[in-house]
Amino acid sequence: MPTTYDPKAAEQKWYPYWMAGGFFRAGQRLDAKPYTIVIPPPNVTGMLHIGHALDFTLQDILIRTKRMQGYDTLWLPGTDHAGIATQTKVEQKLRAQNISRYDLGREKFLEQVWAWKDQYAATIHEQWAKMGLSLDYSRERFTLDEGLSKAVREVFVKLYEKGLIYRGKRIINWDPAARTALSDIEVEYKEVNGHLYHLRYPLKDGSGFITVATTRPETMLGDTAVAVHPEDERYKDMIGKTLILPIVGREIPVIADEYVDKEFGSGAVKITPAHDPNDFEVGQRHNLPQIVVMDESGTMNSEAGPYQGQDRSECRKNITADLKEQGVLISIEDHVHQVGHSERSGAVVEPYLSTQWFVAMKPLAEAAIKAQKDGTGVNFVPERFEKIYLHWIENVRDWCISRQLWWGHRIPAWYSESTGEMVVARDEEEARRISGLSDLKQDEDVLDTWFSSGLWPFSTLGWPDDSEDMKRYYPTDVLVTGYDIIYFWVARMIFTALEFTGEKPFSDVLIHGLVRDAEGRKMSKSLGNGVDPLEVIEKYGADAMRYMISTGSTPGQDLRFRWEKVEQARNFANKIWNASRFALMNLEGVTFEDIDISGKLGTADRWILHRLNETSRDISRLINAYDFGETGRLLYNFIWDDLCDWYIEFAKLSLYGSDEAAKRSTQSVLAYVLDRTMRLIHPFMPYISEEIWQHLPHQGETITLAAWPEYDVVLENPDAVAEMNLLMDMIRAVRNIRAEVNVPMSKKVELIVKAGSQETLAIIDRNNAYISRFANTSSFEAGLNPEAPEKVMSAVVTGAELLLPLSGLIDIEQEIARLEKEVQILNSEVERVDKKLGNAGFVNKAPAKVIEEERAKQADYSAKREKVLARIAELRG
């Protein structure tokens, strides 16, 4: 093995080896229990970020562990077409060339998007490989694959036939930049400093006016009523009267509706059914006209009268000036409020009356809620996220699924160009057969991206066909995802799976947090604080990144990315490498068949086997509980402390000694423990573990298929643990005494041990070679009541007292002289501070903080002086 670990060399060697060997393909252990994860498909919009690295690493840890535990594992990769996000990216690219999608037409534009998809899917493949992900590429899927498209059409048609998909004119969220509808959860609400405009609407009969307030005066052009609460005494006589809408001059009624909060503002609300979701509902109840005053780009249309052709923000300024001139504008006050923005384009979302396709959510939600409450639902980890999921699904509104885009699954509905008749079908041939019409044209809209990704756990396995993969690998075992897409994706997968497969899509959903920067801020382009996982891998290697990112937080908690933490993980990898190099230099000539841990073993050998066994058991339990942070801590402590700092050091006595039988036993234990340790660390650090394992005496082609270390009662050895704990405590105690009196480890010392019992004495006698070596003694005596000089340094450990004669540690007279000089320095410091604090001028004028600091110094110097004086007295006896 090279003297230093080279991550790049290992990564370039082993990933192609794993691929060529087909080690990650499912279906090679048909007698084994299946274990399935479908990857949350990244969008083909660009490069993977550090959040993806966290998500995918956690899945890889689970898959690699289960593969080693003997399961028939399937980790199914794939990517998402990400309709609006990808189309926006491609349109931006074309815009830079002064080309719009309309210049190209639908087919040519889609060719451009497919080219984009191919480019970024290839990039994602490269990133997956760099991260060392053990994916089964033979089953890779894309949401626009023919098989997945078939599943999308099947679901659409079946929901339509059940009356759960309908087409209607309703208020939806409209993105005027992308010119498409959005679902509620594609809208991000941001706090905006706006204004509240108070307007006076006069009654037609001249008897007065009603005051209303709005944040968007441009929408008043679409007002078709003013509503008041039916029990509001102020307006009791006005209900049913007619108002004159300013600017436009349109007559609108005063209506009564319990929607109005009579305690808020003036108690009167302008009703704009085509531009506000609540007003739409009021309008439905009162049969009000729906007047759309903008077009799809947010530009005022012909219904806006004199403002036609103006942008909505421009119209707001102009209409405000006109209202003021007409005496209608009473006042404008500053108003901070939440304004919806498109998650993709960033444009301010417009509530907009439009004909769209919807999923009636209530029946689907009820089935999902029932499953969760009767115990047959999905297990959320951490459990608290179940409440978030249930709250959303219990209050869910109908889902607008149509998008005015070209990239995506075309809605499977056809219209007769001659009669206008509509038919929903799986394809055009079926539509013709059902309708008997030939002049059919397919709906121009596409489906919301989440409609297809909501089918991901079963559409990827071949549904609606009765495929072998569907029968064997569904339902899947766990979904790993961030808490930010519980609504977007997790909920939709659950209710669609229950509806179409009759089963939950996965047993567990592991929710992790976001990766934030070192200051806890969300990573974003605007802040410039994003981290490219490939940059991390280039600098420190994939293993270091994987270990740091997977063990750096607990489930559900955000992770702060710190470069120094990656460096620590790299240092851990180097520690593993150096320890393995030492072991391998002392295992020369040892074959797999030579390894035998059943013979007579020393204390350290039996102890490390016990600790390995204990660690294997605990790590298996923790990985099953998805507690990767605690798993990382246990692995680190076992490898760094137990294996490297203690066992390998103890093993040197046998490896370098003359007892051949002891040497062979230690070689067997060292080879066995190192082999199992590489298996335990492999899911976290696949490259370095494979590289080391291949150099060790082993059986098999790859560590990826090596058996997982299981708990073995035979290896339990509490007596060896007790013995080793005593030895380690004694060695630590001697080292602490050395540190206290500044005696280097290279200087030999006298050691006398007073054992508390015959049993303890026997342990010390059996292991005196270890104690002598690691305490570095010139003489070592142990007994139940050994003789000892008067002047000693002592330490107590469980079962024994350690005595180190001072004469063997230090020159007492020299030490007293040194300490007396230290007392003189401390005396002068105490005197200086006392003088300062005794000066009334200083105490009266100096800031309180400065005085407090001087008093702290006074106490510190005095305490140190007392300790040194006590030490001098002790040395003088």
Side-chain angles (χ1 to χ4, degrees), residues 588-633:
E588 199 169 332
V590 177
T591 66
F592 182 79
E593 290 72 23
D594 293 332
I595 298 172
D596 179 11
I597 59 169
S598 62
K600 186 180 178 184
L601 303 175
T603 299
D605 296 326
R606 290 179 287 119
W607 168 76
I608 197 67
L609 289 170
H610 173 98
R611 285 292 298 120
L612 171 71
N613 197 40
E614 198 171 47
T615 304
S616 301
R617 177 198 64 202
D618 292 343
I619 285 174
S620 296
R621 173 179 55 80
L622 289 166
I623 288 177
N624 280 338
Y626 309 115
D627 193 344
F628 302 108
E630 184 64 9
T631 303
R633 189 187 68 81

Side-chain angles (χ1 to χ4, degrees), residues 729-763:
D729 286 348
M730 290 173 68
I731 293 163
R732 286 191 195 102
V734 172
R735 289 174 176 175
N736 289 341
I737 290 172
R738 284 174 174 276
E740 195 176 329
V741 292
N742 298 314
V743 173
M745 279 301 300
S746 58
K747 182 179 177 181
K748 291 186 178 294
V749 296
E750 296 175 56
L751 176 60
I752 301 165
V753 178
K754 183 178 181 180
S757 67
Q758 194 64 52
E759 291 79 12
T760 300
L761 184 59
I763 293 170

